[in-house]
Amino acid sequence: MTISPLFINTRPRHKADISLVINTITLPLLAIRHFDELNGSEIQDLVDFVQGKFGTLIVVSVEAVACAVHFLKKQNIHHACNIPHHDTLNVIAVGQTTADALVDFGFSVLTPFDVGCQMSNEGMLAMPAINELHVGDDVLIWRGVDGRSLLSDTLIKRGVNVHAIAFYERFVPSELSDDFARLLGNIDKSLDNTFNGTQNNQPNQIGNHSPIFVLISSQMSLDAWRGVCDHWIYDHTTHTHGFLPQNMIYLTLGHRLSTLTAKYYPHSHVCAVKNLAEPTLNQAIQDVMAMYSS
């Protein structure tokens, strides 16, 4: 039987546009809500940032950039050059997409990759620009609610004055269970057509024992996936809908998330990717498919 793999794109809906080498179906595990207003201390932090209080700016997501730019424009800051100290500010981004968005606004940006470190919180902490921060230095972090606190916690322990602005929050969509049920229905139809010997030319076709790729981009998305997958699949073992542990391939953002995913799914293949760019995902898919065809 011809292997017809499937990729489940779990990014939020506004990031779901992706072109891969295999059939793709969208299942947003998380949604993002941008805040219309900041609290009083956050507004003051943004004012202080424009006025030059902070020597280092750390940005942990492209969402934070978009939101921060929105609020900066409300203060008539339409480009980084409108900030008097922009040329002496240390701006550090966790990944290349975030860095690109900051560069578009006019900042000079450094990423962990630029200095040979991993694109992660751990990688940022290993960067000389962050590792050399000491007691009394002022740092501003642009982030979302309830993200990883490793970076800020570590800097605070060093005596660094850390301020953070949470511009958005991630949450599990209320429709996730219904969306997952529809995904299972699509898979069942594909399998039925395969078993009946009919030709299935519908999108997202998969065959029996075909590899199913699942994108896991954060611990919160992993928790959301476990919430629906473990309930619908592994609690109903009489019908797996084609989701067999040995067929599942989890593409995870970074090695920390890879280790965590492997803990929950020890009988599945887990592959860490360094970023979520299409070429990176396509290469990871092709590498795994090569194992299936060998």
Side-chain angles (χ1 to χ4, degrees):
M1 183 176 294
T2 301
I3 293 178
S4 183
L6 175 70
F7 181 89
I8 301 178
N9 182 11
T10 61
R11 301 298 307 281
R13 292 192 187 280
H14 69 290
K15 296 183 177 181
D17 187 16
I18 192 171
S19 178
L20 297 179
V21 293
I22 60 175
N23 292 325
T24 302
I25 192 168
T26 299
L27 179 72
L29 294 176
L30 301 177
I32 296 176
R33 180 186 297 112
H34 293 178
F35 297 141
D36 295 326
E37 297 180 355
L38 302 177
N39 63 41
S41 64
E42 290 173 329
I43 293 173
Q44 187 60 56
D45 284 339
L46 201 60
V47 170
D48 290 342
F49 168 72
V50 172
Q51 293 178 350
K53 174 182 176 180
F54 299 98
T56 300
L57 171 67
I58 301 173
V59 188
V60 301
S61 73
V62 68
E63 294 292 340
V65 180
C67 296
V69 166
H70 169 75
F71 283 103
L72 285 172
K73 288 181 176 179
K74 285 186 174 182
Q75 298 186 27
N76 292 320
I77 305 296
H78 296 276
H79 191 274
C81 65
N82 300 136
I83 300 173
H85 67 298
H86 77 279
D87 54 345
T88 61
L89 179 68
N90 291 322
V91 182
I92 300 170
V94 66
Q96 193 57 53
T97 303
T98 302
D100 291 343
L102 289 163
V103 169
D104 286 344
F105 195 67
F107 288 111
S108 295
V109 185
L110 192 65
T111 71
F113 180 79
D114 295 330
V115 292
C117 298
Q118 294 183 359
M119 297 287 224
S120 64
N121 277 252
E122 290 82 359
M124 284 196 290
L125 284 169
M127 296 174 68
I130 292 181
N131 197 35
E132 294 170 3
L133 291 169
H134 52 74
V135 176
D137 286 337
D138 294 303
V139 172
L140 180 64
I141 300 177
W142 290 350
R143 66 184 187 188
V145 174
D146 294 333
R148 289 187 70 199
S149 61
L150 174 67
L151 179 64
S152 58
D153 289 349
T154 302
L155 292 178
I156 289 171
K157 288 179 181 178
R158 293 180 187 170
V160 177
N161 297 323
V162 177
H163 293 245
I165 301 177
F167 289 102
Y168 64 94
E169 64 179 345
R170 297 176 300 165
F171 61 95
V172 177
S174 59
E175 65 272 17
L176 177 57
S177 292
D178 291 339
D179 287 346
F180 190 79
R182 280 191 288 271
L183 179 145
L184 296 181
N186 290 337
I187 291 174
D188 286 343
K189 290 177 183 178
S190 296
L191 289 174
D192 287 343
N193 288 337
T194 300
F195 292 143
N196 290 332
T198 59
Q199 183 67 35
N200 185 348
N201 294 317
Q202 297 299 317
N204 311 321
Q205 174 189 352
I206 67 168
N208 189 27
H209 303 299
S210 296
I212 300 177
F213 292 82
V214 181
L215 182 63
I216 302 295
S217 57
S218 68
Q219 184 170 340
M220 189 174 180
S221 66
L222 174 60
D223 292 341
W225 172 259
R226 291 179 60 215
V228 290
C229 183
D230 293 6
H231 173 74
W232 284 93
I233 304 299
Y234 298 108
D235 287 350
H236 300 82
T237 55
T238 57
H239 188 6
T240 65
H241 303 273
F243 282 70
L244 302 173
Q246 64 270 28
N247 296 345
M248 305 299 293
I249 301 99
Y250 293 95
L251 300 185
T252 67
L253 182 58
H255 292 285
R256 184 192 69 88
L257 199 55
S258 176
T259 300
L260 190 60
T261 303
K263 173 184 175 182
Y264 293 117
Y265 300 109
H267 302 295
S268 298
H269 185 78
V270 180
C271 177
V273 294
K274 62 182 181 180
N275 58 56
L276 303 179
E278 287 182 9
T280 302
L281 295 177
N282 277 324
Q283 186 61 57
I285 291 169
Q286 290 171 336
D287 289 346
V288 173
M289 291 303 299
M291 293 191 305
Y292 269 79
S293 60
S294 62

